[in-house]
Amino acid sequence: MRTRPNYLAGAAALVWLVIIGVPLYALVNTAVQPQTTYTDKGPVSIPDTVTLENFRTVLDSGFLQYIWNTVVVAVATVAIVLALAIPISYAVVRGRGWMTRGTFRLFLLGLAIPSQAVIIPLFLIVNNLGFYDTLWGIILPTAAFALPVSVLVLSGGMRDISNELYEAMALDGASPARTLLTLVVPMSRSAIATTCVFTALQAWNGFLFPLIMTQSSENKLVTLGLYNFVSEYGANVPALLAAVLLSAVPILVVYLFARRALVAGLMGAGGK
């Protein structure tokens, strides 16, 4: 049976493609033009001259080191968050005592605390621990502020697992640790993927913690490295946008691999 084409949906998809595609084209278009001519015809015009000199300028400035530092921070932050949030969420879902409910409310309270409000105590703690001007001084606060959302997402995904499966594992003699590893984690893949992507994005795009907790060029992240192309008297816009393109590649790769599980987690599928 042939179905009628949905022209309205096609038109809406085309409009959405234009909304997304035009800014992306303008970004790439400016990044491959010389600094002296990128404003001559506007950001969406076809360039007369295409050059990779802007990318060479970015690479010569040491920007790859900033990308590597950011990758380390993002991976370490995701690892810490998953190592803590998965068992905490499991305890919240399966626990029945007042302590479990209080712990969950405490994490929900963390959603209401902005990092800007506690940046001075955080700086003093990081400095006293000896982590100032190290990547750990960025990783630990970023992971701490990612935990509340992660626990909320993971506990929501774990609640979708039916009680019959938990009871079957209990009848089989499985310990809580075995139930977590063999039942809960596999069936919470979508929630875990959602947590990974959002935590990685938060770490990748973080600005306040890298700004306050580090000062040396060796420990810069991409959000601070972009300022290398901005001076008191102007900005090298093509090189700046070339750096933006390079910095977006790793997180785009993460999204491409996790997009299906991410969408399922956002729709509340919970991995089932």
mmCIF file of all heavy atoms in Angstrom, residues 168-210:
data_model
loop_
_atom_site.group_PDB
_atom_site.id
_atom_site.type_symbol
_atom_site.label_atom_id
_atom_site.label_comp_id
_atom_site.label_asym_id
_atom_site.label_seq_id
_atom_site.Cartn_x
_atom_site.Cartn_y
_atom_site.Cartn_z
ATOM 1 N N ALA A 168 13.760 -12.068 39.824
ATOM 2 C CA ALA A 168 14.377 -13.234 39.193
ATOM 3 C C ALA A 168 15.860 -13.320 39.532
ATOM 4 O O ALA A 168 16.391 -14.407 39.788
ATOM 5 C CB ALA A 168 14.179 -13.169 37.684
ATOM 6 N N MET A 169 16.524 -12.175 39.562
ATOM 7 C CA MET A 169 17.937 -12.181 39.938
ATOM 8 C C MET A 169 18.118 -12.592 41.391
ATOM 9 O O MET A 169 19.052 -13.329 41.732
ATOM 10 C CB MET A 169 18.536 -10.791 39.710
ATOM 11 C CG MET A 169 18.641 -10.380 38.252
ATOM 12 S SD MET A 169 19.833 -11.352 37.298
ATOM 13 C CE MET A 169 21.371 -10.861 38.072
ATOM 14 N N ALA A 170 17.196 -12.148 42.263
ATOM 15 C CA ALA A 170 17.283 -12.517 43.676
ATOM 16 C C ALA A 170 17.050 -14.007 43.864
ATOM 17 O O ALA A 170 17.738 -14.667 44.654
ATOM 18 C CB ALA A 170 16.272 -11.703 44.483
ATOM 19 N N LEU A 171 16.073 -14.572 43.148
ATOM 20 C CA LEU A 171 15.821 -16.011 43.240
ATOM 21 C C LEU A 171 16.991 -16.826 42.714
ATOM 22 O O LEU A 171 17.228 -17.965 43.160
ATOM 23 C CB LEU A 171 14.542 -16.364 42.457
ATOM 24 C CG LEU A 171 13.222 -15.857 43.059
ATOM 25 C CD1 LEU A 171 12.063 -16.149 42.123
ATOM 26 C CD2 LEU A 171 12.976 -16.491 44.429
ATOM 27 N N ASP A 172 17.728 -16.244 41.791
ATOM 28 C CA ASP A 172 18.894 -16.924 41.242
ATOM 29 C C ASP A 172 20.100 -16.831 42.175
ATOM 30 O O ASP A 172 21.158 -17.390 41.887
ATOM 31 C CB ASP A 172 19.245 -16.312 39.883
ATOM 32 C CG ASP A 172 20.197 -17.184 39.090
ATOM 33 O OD1 ASP A 172 20.035 -18.422 39.122
ATOM 34 O OD2 ASP A 172 21.108 -16.631 38.446
ATOM 35 N N GLY A 173 19.922 -16.122 43.280
ATOM 36 C CA GLY A 173 20.993 -15.997 44.261
ATOM 37 C C GLY A 173 22.005 -14.919 43.948
ATOM 38 O O GLY A 173 23.111 -14.926 44.500
ATOM 39 N N ALA A 174 21.640 -13.978 43.090
ATOM 40 C CA ALA A 174 22.579 -12.923 42.712
ATOM 41 C C ALA A 174 22.730 -11.912 43.837
ATOM 42 O O ALA A 174 21.745 -11.513 44.473
ATOM 43 C CB ALA A 174 22.099 -12.226 41.437
ATOM 44 N N SER A 175 23.947 -11.475 44.066
ATOM 45 C CA SER A 175 24.207 -10.435 45.041
ATOM 46 C C SER A 175 23.833 -9.073 44.454
ATOM 47 O O SER A 175 23.659 -8.944 43.236
ATOM 48 C CB SER A 175 25.687 -10.437 45.436
ATOM 49 O OG SER A 175 26.483 -10.126 44.304
ATOM 50 N N PRO A 176 23.703 -8.027 45.281
ATOM 51 C CA PRO A 176 23.411 -6.698 44.723
ATOM 52 C C PRO A 176 24.448 -6.243 43.695
ATOM 53 O O PRO A 176 24.089 -5.622 42.693
ATOM 54 C CB PRO A 176 23.423 -5.800 45.961
ATOM 55 C CG PRO A 176 23.030 -6.702 47.087
ATOM 56 C CD PRO A 176 23.644 -8.030 46.754
ATOM 57 N N ALA A 177 25.716 -6.562 43.935
ATOM 58 C CA ALA A 177 26.756 -6.156 42.972
ATOM 59 C C ALA A 177 26.578 -6.873 41.645
ATOM 60 O O ALA A 177 26.713 -6.272 40.574
ATOM 61 C CB ALA A 177 28.144 -6.448 43.558
ATOM 62 N N ARG A 178 26.275 -8.174 41.703
ATOM 63 C CA ARG A 178 26.066 -8.921 40.459
ATOM 64 C C ARG A 178 24.814 -8.431 39.741
ATOM 65 O O ARG A 178 24.797 -8.331 38.506
ATOM 66 C CB ARG A 178 25.944 -10.406 40.771
ATOM 67 C CG ARG A 178 25.740 -11.268 39.531
ATOM 68 C CD ARG A 178 25.501 -12.712 39.889
ATOM 69 N NE ARG A 178 25.055 -13.480 38.738
ATOM 70 C CZ ARG A 178 24.545 -14.698 38.811
ATOM 71 N NH1 ARG A 178 24.413 -15.295 39.997
ATOM 72 N NH2 ARG A 178 24.153 -15.330 37.728
ATOM 73 N N THR A 179 23.759 -8.123 40.491
ATOM 74 C CA THR A 179 22.541 -7.586 39.872
ATOM 75 C C THR A 179 22.834 -6.272 39.164
ATOM 76 O O THR A 179 22.346 -6.017 38.056
ATOM 77 C CB THR A 179 21.458 -7.385 40.936
ATOM 78 O OG1 THR A 179 21.179 -8.637 41.578
ATOM 79 C CG2 THR A 179 20.182 -6.843 40.319
ATOM 80 N N LEU A 180 23.645 -5.434 39.800
ATOM 81 C CA LEU A 180 24.000 -4.145 39.197
ATOM 82 C C LEU A 180 24.767 -4.336 37.891
ATOM 83 O O LEU A 180 24.462 -3.692 36.885
ATOM 84 C CB LEU A 180 24.830 -3.324 40.192
ATOM 85 C CG LEU A 180 25.413 -2.008 39.679
ATOM 86 C CD1 LEU A 180 24.293 -1.047 39.290
ATOM 87 C CD2 LEU A 180 26.324 -1.382 40.722
ATOM 88 N N LEU A 181 25.726 -5.242 37.890
ATOM 89 C CA LEU A 181 26.601 -5.397 36.734
ATOM 90 C C LEU A 181 25.955 -6.175 35.595
ATOM 91 O O LEU A 181 26.196 -5.877 34.415
ATOM 92 C CB LEU A 181 27.903 -6.084 37.153
ATOM 93 C CG LEU A 181 28.803 -5.284 38.116
ATOM 94 C CD1 LEU A 181 29.997 -6.114 38.528
ATOM 95 C CD2 LEU A 181 29.239 -3.977 37.484
ATOM 96 N N THR A 182 25.145 -7.192 35.930
ATOM 97 C CA THR A 182 24.608 -8.072 34.881
ATOM 98 C C THR A 182 23.193 -7.701 34.448
ATOM 99 O O THR A 182 22.759 -8.126 33.374
ATOM 100 C CB THR A 182 24.625 -9.531 35.354
ATOM 101 O OG1 THR A 182 23.796 -9.663 36.521
ATOM 102 C CG2 THR A 182 26.035 -9.981 35.686
ATOM 103 N N LEU A 183 22.479 -6.954 35.249
ATOM 104 C CA LEU A 183 21.100 -6.589 34.900
ATOM 105 C C LEU A 183 20.941 -5.091 34.696
ATOM 106 O O LEU A 183 20.506 -4.635 33.637
ATOM 107 C CB LEU A 183 20.135 -7.067 35.981
ATOM 108 C CG LEU A 183 18.668 -6.600 35.820
ATOM 109 C CD1 LEU A 183 18.050 -7.211 34.562
ATOM 110 C CD2 LEU A 183 17.851 -6.941 37.048
ATOM 111 N N VAL A 184 21.290 -4.324 35.709
ATOM 112 C CA VAL A 184 20.981 -2.895 35.701
ATOM 113 C C VAL A 184 21.807 -2.152 34.653
ATOM 114 O O VAL A 184 21.261 -1.371 33.861
ATOM 115 C CB VAL A 184 21.211 -2.304 37.105
ATOM 116 C CG1 VAL A 184 20.985 -0.791 37.077
ATOM 117 C CG2 VAL A 184 20.276 -2.956 38.115
ATOM 118 N N VAL A 185 23.111 -2.372 34.640
ATOM 119 C CA VAL A 185 23.967 -1.637 33.694
ATOM 120 C C VAL A 185 23.607 -1.949 32.238
ATOM 121 O O VAL A 185 23.439 -1.023 31.432
ATOM 122 C CB VAL A 185 25.450 -1.929 33.989
ATOM 123 C CG1 VAL A 185 26.341 -1.354 32.878
ATOM 124 C CG2 VAL A 185 25.851 -1.331 35.330
ATOM 125 N N PRO A 186 23.457 -3.236 31.836
ATOM 126 C CA PRO A 186 23.076 -3.487 30.435
ATOM 127 C C PRO A 186 21.727 -2.896 30.045
ATOM 128 O O PRO A 186 21.560 -2.441 28.910
ATOM 129 C CB PRO A 186 23.058 -5.019 30.342
ATOM 130 C CG PRO A 186 23.959 -5.481 31.430
ATOM 131 C CD PRO A 186 23.767 -4.498 32.546
ATOM 132 N N MET A 187 20.767 -2.896 30.969
ATOM 133 C CA MET A 187 19.441 -2.382 30.628
ATOM 134 C C MET A 187 19.322 -0.875 30.802
ATOM 135 O O MET A 187 18.270 -0.296 30.525
ATOM 136 C CB MET A 187 18.376 -3.091 31.467
ATOM 137 C CG MET A 187 18.279 -4.581 31.200
ATOM 138 S SD MET A 187 16.708 -5.287 31.734
ATOM 139 C CE MET A 187 15.575 -4.515 30.578
ATOM 140 N N SER A 188 20.382 -0.245 31.246
ATOM 141 C CA SER A 188 20.386 1.218 31.397
ATOM 142 C C SER A 188 21.338 1.868 30.404
ATOM 143 O O SER A 188 21.837 2.963 30.645
ATOM 144 C CB SER A 188 20.768 1.594 32.831
ATOM 145 O OG SER A 188 19.896 1.021 33.773
ATOM 146 N N ARG A 189 21.600 1.195 29.292
ATOM 147 C CA ARG A 189 22.570 1.717 28.331
ATOM 148 C C ARG A 189 22.196 3.101 27.819
ATOM 149 O O ARG A 189 23.056 3.960 27.650
ATOM 150 C CB ARG A 189 22.707 0.748 27.153
ATOM 151 C CG ARG A 189 23.396 -0.568 27.480
ATOM 152 C CD ARG A 189 23.722 -1.342 26.206
ATOM 153 N NE ARG A 189 22.519 -1.588 25.427
ATOM 154 C CZ ARG A 189 21.753 -2.660 25.554
ATOM 155 N NH1 ARG A 189 22.054 -3.571 26.453
ATOM 156 N NH2 ARG A 189 20.685 -2.833 24.790
ATOM 157 N N SER A 190 20.925 3.316 27.561
ATOM 158 C CA SER A 190 20.513 4.615 27.021
ATOM 159 C C SER A 190 20.718 5.725 28.042
ATOM 160 O O SER A 190 21.205 6.813 27.709
ATOM 161 C CB SER A 190 19.044 4.562 26.596
ATOM 162 O OG SER A 190 18.860 3.645 25.546
ATOM 163 N N ALA A 191 20.340 5.458 29.285
ATOM 164 C CA ALA A 191 20.547 6.459 30.331
ATOM 165 C C ALA A 191 22.026 6.711 30.556
ATOM 166 O O ALA A 191 22.451 7.857 30.787
ATOM 167 C CB ALA A 191 19.878 5.997 31.627
ATOM 168 N N ILE A 192 22.838 5.666 30.493
ATOM 169 C CA ILE A 192 24.278 5.826 30.668
ATOM 170 C C ILE A 192 24.864 6.630 29.507
ATOM 171 O O ILE A 192 25.718 7.506 29.706
ATOM 172 C CB ILE A 192 24.955 4.448 30.791
ATOM 173 C CG1 ILE A 192 24.543 3.777 32.103
ATOM 174 C CG2 ILE A 192 26.475 4.583 30.717
ATOM 175 C CD1 ILE A 192 25.045 2.354 32.252
ATOM 176 N N ALA A 193 24.413 6.345 28.283
ATOM 177 C CA ALA A 193 24.894 7.103 27.126
ATOM 178 C C ALA A 193 24.507 8.574 27.238
ATOM 179 O O ALA A 193 25.309 9.463 26.922
ATOM 180 C CB ALA A 193 24.342 6.503 25.838
ATOM 181 N N THR A 194 23.287 8.832 27.686
ATOM 182 C CA THR A 194 22.853 10.215 27.885
ATOM 183 C C THR A 194 23.725 10.916 28.903
ATOM 184 O O THR A 194 24.157 12.059 28.710
ATOM 185 C CB THR A 194 21.387 10.246 28.345
ATOM 186 O OG1 THR A 194 20.577 9.567 27.382
ATOM 187 C CG2 THR A 194 20.894 11.666 28.500
ATOM 188 N N THR A 195 24.018 10.226 29.998
ATOM 189 C CA THR A 195 24.878 10.788 31.035
ATOM 190 C C THR A 195 26.275 11.065 30.499
ATOM 191 O O THR A 195 26.860 12.117 30.774
ATOM 192 C CB THR A 195 24.956 9.826 32.231
ATOM 193 O OG1 THR A 195 23.645 9.600 32.739
ATOM 194 C CG2 THR A 195 25.830 10.385 33.326
ATOM 195 N N CYS A 196 26.814 10.127 29.718
ATOM 196 C CA CYS A 196 28.156 10.309 29.153
ATOM 197 C C CYS A 196 28.221 11.537 28.256
ATOM 198 O O CYS A 196 29.149 12.359 28.370
ATOM 199 C CB CYS A 196 28.566 9.066 28.364
ATOM 200 S SG CYS A 196 28.966 7.630 29.364
ATOM 201 N N VAL A 197 27.240 11.675 27.366
ATOM 202 C CA VAL A 197 27.276 12.779 26.409
ATOM 203 C C VAL A 197 27.123 14.121 27.111
ATOM 204 O O VAL A 197 27.894 15.068 26.858
ATOM 205 C CB VAL A 197 26.183 12.598 25.338
ATOM 206 C CG1 VAL A 197 26.091 13.839 24.451
ATOM 207 C CG2 VAL A 197 26.469 11.371 24.486
ATOM 208 N N PHE A 198 26.173 14.234 28.027
ATOM 209 C CA PHE A 198 25.960 15.509 28.700
ATOM 210 C C PHE A 198 27.114 15.856 29.626
ATOM 211 O O PHE A 198 27.498 17.028 29.739
ATOM 212 C CB PHE A 198 24.640 15.480 29.464
ATOM 213 C CG PHE A 198 23.459 15.803 28.609
ATOM 214 C CD1 PHE A 198 22.650 14.805 28.108
ATOM 215 C CD2 PHE A 198 23.147 17.109 28.277
ATOM 216 C CE1 PHE A 198 21.567 15.090 27.297
ATOM 217 C CE2 PHE A 198 22.064 17.411 27.468
ATOM 218 C CZ PHE A 198 21.269 16.398 26.981
ATOM 219 N N THR A 199 27.693 14.866 30.292
ATOM 220 C CA THR A 199 28.850 15.128 31.139
ATOM 221 C C THR A 199 30.045 15.549 30.308
ATOM 222 O O THR A 199 30.776 16.487 30.676
ATOM 223 C CB THR A 199 29.189 13.880 31.971
ATOM 224 O OG1 THR A 199 28.058 13.499 32.745
ATOM 225 C CG2 THR A 199 30.356 14.152 32.900
ATOM 226 N N ALA A 200 30.263 14.868 29.187
ATOM 227 C CA ALA A 200 31.369 15.236 28.305
ATOM 228 C C ALA A 200 31.188 16.646 27.745
ATOM 229 O O ALA A 200 32.151 17.421 27.659
ATOM 230 C CB ALA A 200 31.491 14.222 27.168
ATOM 231 N N LEU A 201 29.953 16.983 27.375
ATOM 232 C CA LEU A 201 29.692 18.339 26.877
ATOM 233 C C LEU A 201 29.955 19.386 27.953
ATOM 234 O O LEU A 201 30.516 20.448 27.684
ATOM 235 C CB LEU A 201 28.242 18.439 26.389
ATOM 236 C CG LEU A 201 27.939 17.850 25.011
ATOM 237 C CD1 LEU A 201 26.441 17.877 24.749
ATOM 238 C CD2 LEU A 201 28.679 18.611 23.921
ATOM 239 N N GLN A 202 29.529 19.093 29.169
ATOM 240 C CA GLN A 202 29.744 20.033 30.265
ATOM 241 C C GLN A 202 31.235 20.229 30.521
ATOM 242 O O GLN A 202 31.682 21.358 30.750
ATOM 243 C CB GLN A 202 29.058 19.526 31.531
ATOM 244 C CG GLN A 202 29.127 20.507 32.705
ATOM 245 C CD GLN A 202 28.293 20.034 33.877
ATOM 246 O OE1 GLN A 202 27.460 19.154 33.756
ATOM 247 N NE2 GLN A 202 28.517 20.630 35.038
ATOM 248 N N ALA A 203 31.999 19.140 30.475
ATOM 249 C CA ALA A 203 33.442 19.248 30.670
ATOM 250 C C ALA A 203 34.108 19.944 29.490
ATOM 251 O O ALA A 203 35.043 20.744 29.670
ATOM 252 C CB ALA A 203 34.041 17.858 30.886
ATOM 253 N N TRP A 204 33.652 19.645 28.280
ATOM 254 C CA TRP A 204 34.271 20.210 27.079
ATOM 255 C C TRP A 204 34.030 21.707 26.970
ATOM 256 O O TRP A 204 34.919 22.451 26.548
ATOM 257 C CB TRP A 204 33.729 19.498 25.844
ATOM 258 C CG TRP A 204 34.543 19.743 24.612
ATOM 259 C CD1 TRP A 204 34.379 20.747 23.694
ATOM 260 C CD2 TRP A 204 35.676 18.988 24.178
ATOM 261 N NE1 TRP A 204 35.328 20.643 22.717
ATOM 262 C CE2 TRP A 204 36.142 19.577 22.983
ATOM 263 C CE3 TRP A 204 36.328 17.869 24.682
ATOM 264 C CZ2 TRP A 204 37.232 19.083 22.293
ATOM 265 C CZ3 TRP A 204 37.418 17.368 23.985
ATOM 266 C CH2 TRP A 204 37.851 17.980 22.807
ATOM 267 N N ASN A 205 32.841 22.143 27.341
ATOM 268 C CA ASN A 205 32.482 23.553 27.188
ATOM 269 C C ASN A 205 32.706 24.371 28.455
ATOM 270 O O ASN A 205 32.347 25.548 28.493
ATOM 271 C CB ASN A 205 31.013 23.679 26.762
ATOM 272 C CG ASN A 205 30.742 23.069 25.408
ATOM 273 O OD1 ASN A 205 31.586 23.143 24.510
ATOM 274 N ND2 ASN A 205 29.578 22.460 25.248
ATOM 275 N N GLY A 206 33.259 23.746 29.484
ATOM 276 C CA GLY A 206 33.459 24.465 30.743
ATOM 277 C C GLY A 206 34.411 25.640 30.581
ATOM 278 O O GLY A 206 35.443 25.547 29.893
ATOM 279 N N PHE A 207 34.093 26.732 31.229
ATOM 280 C CA PHE A 207 34.927 27.936 31.148
ATOM 281 C C PHE A 207 35.350 28.437 32.532
ATOM 282 O O PHE A 207 36.507 28.813 32.738
ATOM 283 C CB PHE A 207 34.176 29.045 30.412
ATOM 284 C CG PHE A 207 34.944 30.329 30.303
ATOM 285 C CD1 PHE A 207 35.949 30.459 29.354
ATOM 286 C CD2 PHE A 207 34.697 31.400 31.146
ATOM 287 C CE1 PHE A 207 36.683 31.635 29.246
ATOM 288 C CE2 PHE A 207 35.419 32.569 31.049
ATOM 289 C CZ PHE A 207 36.406 32.698 30.098
ATOM 290 N N LEU A 208 34.428 28.400 33.496
ATOM 291 C CA LEU A 208 34.713 29.000 34.803
ATOM 292 C C LEU A 208 35.825 28.254 35.538
ATOM 293 O O LEU A 208 36.779 28.872 36.028
ATOM 294 C CB LEU A 208 33.440 29.023 35.651
ATOM 295 C CG LEU A 208 33.577 29.673 37.037
ATOM 296 C CD1 LEU A 208 33.947 31.142 36.891
ATOM 297 C CD2 LEU A 208 32.289 29.524 37.822
ATOM 298 N N PHE A 209 35.726 26.927 35.631
ATOM 299 C CA PHE A 209 36.736 26.157 36.356
ATOM 300 C C PHE A 209 38.116 26.244 35.702
ATOM 301 O O PHE A 209 39.113 26.442 36.395
ATOM 302 C CB PHE A 209 36.286 24.705 36.512
ATOM 303 C CG PHE A 209 35.095 24.543 37.403
ATOM 304 C CD1 PHE A 209 34.143 23.568 37.139
ATOM 305 C CD2 PHE A 209 34.901 25.371 38.500
ATOM 306 C CE1 PHE A 209 33.032 23.423 37.953
ATOM 307 C CE2 PHE A 209 33.800 25.232 39.322
ATOM 308 C CZ PHE A 209 32.854 24.254 39.052
ATOM 309 N N PRO A 210 38.234 26.097 34.369
ATOM 310 C CA PRO A 210 39.563 26.295 33.763
ATOM 311 C C PRO A 210 40.112 27.697 33.981
ATOM 312 O O PRO A 210 41.328 27.876 34.145
ATOM 313 C CB PRO A 210 39.318 26.025 32.275
ATOM 314 C CG PRO A 210 38.126 25.141 32.238
ATOM 315 C CD PRO A 210 37.262 25.597 33.377
#
